[in-house]
Amino acid sequence: MRKLKRVVIKEELVELTGDSVKSLILSQFLYWTDIMNNLDEKKKRDIEAFEKIGETYEANKLRKELRNGWFFKSAAELDDEIMISKRSTIDRKLKELIELPFIETRTPDEMAKTNREKANRSTWYRIDLKILHKELKKIGYPLEGYSLPEDEESLSDSIAQNEQSEKTLINSIAHFEQSTAHFEQSTAQNEQSYNVLLQNITTNTLVSKYVGANAQSIFELYKKDFKPTTHAKNSIELFCETYSPDLVAEAIQRAVMNEADKPIAFIKKVLFNWHEAGCSTVEQVLDHEKKFKEERKRKLAEKRKKQSSNKKIVRKEMVPEWHGKSNEENKADAKAHENMSDEEFEIEKRKLQEELKALNAELKNKGKEQPV
């Protein structure tokens, strides 16, 4: 069932932008800001988990993917989301909206300095929630749903801290990229072991805790056999939030084995079927499939047994040659023998004796050929 779209016109955003269409665009920007922040929080937890087990390489890879509130959105996508205006109007209103002080923009090349996502993207946007809060406060409205510093000193300190954190992140990433070659040489053996671990995941072995640690690891597994699109990545993240990552990894392996043309749809269907069967772990899936195969084997055996019991046994017996003849034919043969002369009888008798003698010799020869 398709989820219906909803748009909400908020009074405070209309008052702030002076236009209902611009207020809807701003509302969607806030919606995507929340999504990016939630994804970042999840990645930060994964980074902490990797650092605790000493996986610095994986932690740095995830750290480079942090969005820090940035998202890309085209006018065509906004047109589809807000549903109430023409594309040309969306383009014009968007240009007017980004002139407001609380909206930041970056080109794809600029974004590539702090995030690996770059190629063929639209303009990137970020809402400065603190400036937005100040602008709303000027016209007597709160920023609903956000907890922000009340005093100007705290606000300034927070902004300065964020800017310093971003500069530190850029420097850290630059240092990381310079040392990547040396690091990869020193950890080649670990990388090889990790790849072997991913390749050896089958339906008969459970996914390790390391592979199932987070959605990013599962997406790396997906990329080994399927095209890594944005839709696929978002779907894998959603699957990992809904089901256990180990279960998602197992579904990916099933898609690989079945050479699925539409892997995401295939994985979604498999996960749904397992959920309907009450399976929440790979172990439960394997147990469920084992029981299903045993039940099918039992029913097949019962069916064959029933079919064999219904077969009629046809008994074959040796009968004399005259058994199949009619009474008239048998009487004719008997009359022919009665009218036979003595000379004809002797000839017939010798002929029969010779046939019996040949038959006995043949039987004796066969008996000699058989091994003792």
Side-chain angles (χ1 to χ4, degrees):
M1 181 180 294
R2 184 177 67 85
K3 187 175 181 181
L4 298 178
K5 293 182 283 188
R6 297 285 188 272
V7 289
V8 179
I9 296 179
K10 296 183 178 181
E11 178 185 338
E12 64 271 27
L13 299 185
V14 175
E15 290 293 327
L16 181 65
T17 61
D19 184 272
S20 60
V21 176
K22 286 192 285 187
S23 73
L24 284 174
I25 296 175
L26 179 56
S27 181
Q28 286 302 109
F29 277 13
L30 287 170
Y31 168 76
W32 286 107
T33 298
D34 281 342
I35 290 179
M36 294 303 104
N37 289 338
N38 290 336
L39 289 175
D40 274 0
E41 288 300 317
K42 188 175 185 303
K43 284 186 174 69
K44 288 176 183 177
R45 292 194 296 268
D46 292 338
I47 290 169
E48 291 179 4
F50 275 123
E51 289 178 337
K52 286 181 181 179
I53 62 176
E55 291 293 338
T56 308
Y57 180 76
E58 292 296 328
N60 285 333
K61 281 172 61 178
L62 282 180
R63 188 174 285 110
K64 196 172 181 181
E65 293 177 0
L66 292 174
R67 293 287 188 85
N68 296 309
W70 288 98
F71 60 92
F72 63 90
K73 185 66 59 174
S74 67
E77 290 173 320
L78 287 169
D79 183 33
D80 180 63
E81 289 175 5
I82 67 176
M83 304 177 292
I84 65 168
S85 189
K86 295 180 180 180
R87 169 66 185 277
S88 57
T89 304
I90 297 295
D91 287 330
R92 180 167 49 84
K93 297 295 183 180
L94 183 57
K95 289 179 181 179
E96 295 174 2
L97 186 65
I98 61 177
E99 296 297 323
L100 297 176
F102 47 81
I103 298 183
E104 301 176 70
T105 61
R106 277 184 182 177
T107 65
D109 288 333
E110 291 173 334
M111 194 63 197
K113 296 178 182 179
T114 57
N115 190 284
R116 69 173 62 183
E117 296 189 56
K118 172 186 176 182
N120 299 325
R121 299 299 192 191
S122 306
T123 302
W124 291 73
Y125 303 96
R126 182 170 70 175
I127 303 295
D128 190 323
L129 296 175
K130 297 170 183 62
I131 297 179
L132 176 60
H133 172 69
K134 288 175 59 179
E135 295 298 316
L136 285 171
K137 193 173 181 180
K138 289 179 182 178
I139 58 176
Y141 289 97
L143 180 55
E144 186 179 356
Y146 297 90
S147 177
L148 297 170
E150 291 296 330
D151 57 290
E152 292 296 325
E153 185 177 354
S154 298
L155 182 61
S156 300
D157 291 343
S158 179
I159 293 173
Q161 185 178 0
N162 285 343
E163 290 176 349
Q164 183 62 36
S165 297
E166 188 167 348
K167 291 178 181 178
T168 302
L169 176 61
I170 293 173
N171 294 333
S172 176
I173 290 173
H175 177 71
F176 169 72
E177 290 176 345
Q178 291 174 359
S179 60
T180 297
H182 176 71
F183 180 82
E184 288 180 350
Q185 290 177 358
S186 64
T187 58
Q189 187 175 359
N190 289 337
E191 283 292 313
Q192 184 178 4
S193 300
Y194 177 68
N195 290 333
V196 171
L197 176 64
L198 289 180
Q199 292 170 359
N200 289 337
I201 298 174
T202 65
T203 55
N204 296 321
T205 56
L206 299 180
V207 181
S208 70
K209 292 181 180 179
Y210 176 71
V211 175
N214 59 83
Q216 181 60 31
S217 298
I218 303 303
F219 186 63
E220 291 296 327
L221 176 63
Y222 177 89
K223 290 198 299 185
K224 291 175 67 65
D225 295 282
F226 301 112
K227 185 177 180 181
T229 63
T230 303
H231 170 68
K233 185 175 182 181
N234 293 337
S235 298
I236 293 298
E237 289 177 349
L238 180 60
F239 294 156
C240 288
E241 291 177 2
T242 307
Y243 311 99
S244 71
D246 287 357
L247 206 61
V248 178
E250 182 68 19
I252 292 173
Q253 289 302 313
R254 302 298 177 92
V256 173
M257 288 188 295
N258 286 275
E259 298 180 353
D261 294 331
K262 298 180 179 180
I264 291 299
F266 183 93
I267 293 167
K268 182 179 180 181
K269 180 65 176 178
V270 168
L271 290 171
F272 177 78
N273 290 340
W274 287 346
H275 176 73
E276 289 294 297
C279 301
S280 57
T281 65
V282 178
E283 202 170 85
Q284 291 175 349
V285 168
L286 298 179
D287 185 57
H288 170 73
E289 291 178 341
K290 182 180 178 182
K291 290 179 180 179
F292 177 79
K293 290 178 181 178
E294 290 175 351
E295 179 66 16
R296 186 172 61 180
K297 187 177 179 181
R298 183 187 64 79
K299 290 182 178 180
L300 183 60
E302 289 181 353
K303 184 178 180 181
R304 288 176 177 173
K305 184 178 179 181
K306 186 176 180 180
Q307 289 175 344
S308 62
S309 64
N310 291 335
K311 290 182 178 179
K312 293 183 179 180
I313 300 176
V314 180
R315 183 176 178 181
K316 296 183 178 180
E317 296 183 356
M318 297 297 293
V319 295
E321 186 178 347
W322 52 263
H323 184 269
K325 295 182 178 181
S326 63
N327 291 333
E328 289 76 10
E329 289 175 331
N330 288 328
K331 288 178 181 179
D333 289 342
K335 188 174 182 180
H337 284 289
E338 289 176 0
N339 297 330
M340 188 180 296
S341 65
D342 292 340
E343 185 179 353
E344 288 174 341
F345 178 76
E346 286 299 327
I347 293 172
E348 188 71 24
K349 180 180 178 181
R350 282 195 301 270
K351 185 178 178 182
L352 181 60
Q353 287 174 343
E354 288 173 359
E355 290 179 355
L356 289 173
K357 186 177 180 180
L359 180 60
N360 287 331
E362 185 180 350
L363 292 174
K364 286 180 181 180
N365 290 333
K366 287 185 177 180
K368 290 179 181 180
E369 293 175 359
Q370 291 179 353
V372 179

